[in-house]
Structures are given as C-alpha cells and as structure tokens.
Amino acid sequence: MRILSTLGTGLACLLLNIFMSCGNSAADVDVSKVSVKLDYVSFYKDFSSIDSNAVPQGLQQLQQKYPVFLPFYLDTLLPFGHIEQPYSDPEHIVPVRTVFVHKDFRALNDTVNKVFPDTKKYDEAILDAFKHIKYYLPNVPLPTKVYYFTSCLNKWTSFTHDDQLGIGLDMFLGKGFRPYQAIGIPDYALINHTPENIPMWAAKAIYNNVYTHDNFNKSLLDLMVLNGKEIYYLHKVLPDIPLSLLLGYTPEQMKWCEANEPLIYNFFLKDNLLYSKNYQQIMRYATPAPNSAGFPGEAPGNVSTYTGYRIIEAYAAKSGKDLQQILNEQNNTAIFQASKYKP
C-alpha cells in the first residue's frame, strides 16, 4: 500500500504539472468573501450619443452628470489638449465639435458600441481581479469607480486617477481593427488589444500605480526580475487568463519558451548579458518586439521576461514568501541567487 500510494501521488503530481504547463492557469484562491465595491460607468455611451448639431448643449448636460470626469476626459484622454470652459462657448469646443461631425469618429463609435453593447462581462472580470488583488495585497488602494470611455484612438488602454479606473474601449477592438496600424500599433502587439485583455490592463494599471520602475541603468537581470514580478502578480490576480496572454506571446511562442527554457537562459549566460547594462543591447530582450535577436524565428520578443517569471516562480517556491513580500523585495540579485534558478 505504501508503494502504491507513493506511485499514485507521483502520478498525480506529474499530471498536475502537465496540466499546469499546458493550460498555463494559476492555482486559484477563494475570494468569494472578499468585499470590493465598484461602480461601473458607461461614459462612452453618453459621450457618443451627443447630438453633433448641439455639441455645446450636450457637453453641458454631461458636465452636470460628470463634473469631475468630463474635464479630465476632454483635457487628458482626448488628443486635443486643454479645452477651455465654459463648454457652452462654441469657440472653446471647436476641436470637439469638429470630431463629432467627422465620419471616422462616427465609425469608431459605431464599432465600439457594436463590440461592447454593454460591459457586464468586463465588470465581473474586473471585480474578480480586484478581489484577488485585495486578497493578496490588502494595503494596495483600489479605485471605486470604473469608467469605460473612448479616446479617439489616443492609445489609452487603462489608467488610475484618484478613485477612478479608466478603460479605453477603443483600444480593445481586436486584431482585425485596421486603424490600429495607422496609429502605430505593431502587429505583434495586437494580441493584447482584444476584449479579453481588459481585466489584464485593469490589473496592470493598479500594479503600475504602486510598483513603478524605470529601465535606466538596469542590468538585464534587473529587468528580468522586475518584469517577472509583474507577470507573477498578474498570474496570481488573473488566474483564468493564460500565461501566454499575460506575456504577450502567442500559444505557439509560449510552447517554444517552455520547450527551450534552458536554451534561453544559457544564451544570456554565454553572451555575458545577464549583468550587462548596455541599454541598446539588452532592451531587445526585455521589451515587446516581433522577435528576439539571436534566437530562432519561433521565439517571441521580450523573451527574457519569461525567464524572469520563472525566476520569481522559483524564488516563491524556495522562500515561501507571499506575493506582497516578493513585490516589496528590492534586491533583484538576491532574489535571483535565492531562487537557485537553473533550468
């Protein structure tokens, strides 16, 4: 019985490892009793419904309904710069009125409203993400309102401002939305501009509001660990989203990384890149790109972030530290050494 039990446990672990590797899903926790209060605001519907023949009147009505958000939206999120108040003055709102009569703006609004007739699905996903964030990081402040808006393709995916989380729905219209090419979003990045990415960008906005870092004077190891922390966090708070999507990889690229993990790590060792601070040399491995220099065509860009994630995963297993402790750890080299990472 002892031998059978041992074999059964080993087989169960093997099957679990295979499942986790193929599915790339994180072990979930029970957040049903975690209390998070969120209000959801479909601002995009109210703004797009303004009569193009009565823009001043429409803006005045919106200002009564959104006295704080509307000025922020017009001045910051739209590509016009500061819009002078009062909005009742036709001279002040010339840029806004011009946009409202433009056929491309009308087409954009039609597309957004078609893709997002409502936001219930994303309300629930964001709420679940916030519950996970509160479970793991109880001291991190969370917004209390979610504003859905369009930015006239001004590249606002998500942001936090005071008690607000903003989600730019025009940045989640899918890989086939052709105007993305015109505004400079490269093909390889389109994987993260589909509706299913909304909760990820919401969680990233919370993370970047608290755990900020710049890339200046950082070694590749520093960037690997810092980027790995963010992916580890995302994988914890978004357990139902595939790891490949969090990394910005296609499923095929993810499989390549898993199959070639030692090759990736040894490449960085062999070329003495791990502790290099040569910005131009190392950033091609640590930022989104169509590929990674020196790797086969099947490899993704930003390939070092996969290694960084695996280092953090190993560190968590070795140290027993929770997510909050890991994110607060500042010594990247110490994390790497303590992880004993060796694929």
Side-chain angles (χ1 to χ4, degrees), residues 308-328:
Y309 167 78
R310 295 288 287 146
I311 289 171
I312 297 301
E313 197 175 41
Y315 177 70
K318 288 286 185 182
S319 68
K321 292 185 177 181
D322 61 27
L323 179 61
Q324 184 168 260
Q325 292 172 316
I326 291 171
L327 297 184
N328 289 335

Side-chain angles (χ1 to χ4, degrees), residues 230-262:
E230 182 174 3
I231 300 301
Y232 185 76
Y233 152 86
L234 291 173
H235 206 29
K236 285 287 191 182
V237 304
L238 301 165
D240 295 328
I241 294 183
L243 179 60
S244 58
L245 197 61
L246 301 179
L247 285 159
Y249 300 167
T250 65
E252 294 74 22
Q253 289 172 333
M254 187 72 208
K255 289 177 182 177
W256 186 91
C257 287
E258 291 172 340
N260 294 277
E261 187 175 351

Side-chain angles (χ1 to χ4, degrees), residues 35-55:
S35 177
V36 173
K37 180 70 170 68
L38 275 176
D39 293 324
Y40 310 97
V41 183
S42 296
F43 178 84
Y44 70 105
K45 288 186 175 291
D46 286 341
F47 189 75
S48 65
S49 66
I50 291 177
D51 186 345
S52 60
N53 295 313
V55 175

Side-chain angles (χ1 to χ4, degrees), residues 50-245:
I50 291 177
D51 186 345
S52 60
N53 295 313
V55 175
Q57 296 88 334
L59 288 178
Q60 288 179 77
Q61 292 173 359
L62 279 190
Q63 191 169 24
Q64 292 176 358
K65 189 173 182 179
Y66 306 108
V68 176
F69 185 75
L70 180 63
F72 176 76
Y73 173 72
L74 294 175
D75 293 349
T76 305
L77 303 179
L78 293 184
F80 308 138
H82 179 61
I83 303 295
E84 195 72 35
Q85 297 190 43
Y87 302 136
S88 57
D89 188 330
E91 292 186 5
H92 292 172
I93 61 164
V94 169
V96 183
R97 185 171 55 193
T98 301
V99 162
F100 264 96
V101 299
H102 200 286
K103 62 180 180 63
D104 289 345
F105 176 75
R106 295 198 301 271
L108 175 63
N109 279 333
D110 290 344
T111 302
V112 170
N113 283 302
K114 182 178 180 180
V115 175
F116 301 103
D118 62 68
T119 61
K120 183 178 179 180
K121 176 180 178 181
Y122 309 103
D123 297 345
E124 294 172 353
I126 291 173
L127 178 61
D128 186 68
F130 276 24
K131 285 186 175 184
H132 279 82
I133 293 172
K134 189 172 182 179
Y135 176 90
Y136 287 112
L137 306 169
N139 297 322
V140 168
L142 295 174
T144 58
K145 296 179 181 178
V146 179
Y147 282 85
Y148 296 101
F149 65 93
T150 59
S151 67
C152 292
L153 300 180
N154 202 26
K155 298 185 179 180
W156 284 97
T157 49
S158 63
F159 70 87
T160 57
H161 177 67
D162 296 333
D163 64 342
Q164 306 160 4
L165 168 71
I167 300 294
L169 294 180
D170 52 334
M171 290 290 101
F172 300 100
L173 298 178
K175 300 176 185 178
F177 187 62
R178 293 179 61 185
Y180 285 156
Q181 294 178 330
I183 62 172
I185 298 179
D187 288 345
Y188 63 81
L190 293 178
I191 192 172
N192 289 134
H193 288 277
T194 61
E196 64 185 324
N197 283 277
I198 287 176
M200 182 192 75
W201 285 99
K204 284 172 70 76
I206 303 303
Y207 184 89
N208 291 327
N209 191 46
V210 179
Y211 301 101
T212 57
H213 75 269
D214 61 57
N215 296 331
F216 178 72
N217 200 32
K218 298 286 195 306
S219 69
L220 180 60
L221 177 62
D222 288 327
L223 296 176
M224 289 164 64
V225 170
L226 291 169
N227 292 338
K229 281 183 177 181
E230 182 174 3
I231 300 301
Y232 185 76
Y233 152 86
L234 291 173
H235 206 29
K236 285 287 191 182
V237 304
L238 301 165
D240 295 328
I241 294 183
L243 179 60
S244 58
L245 197 61

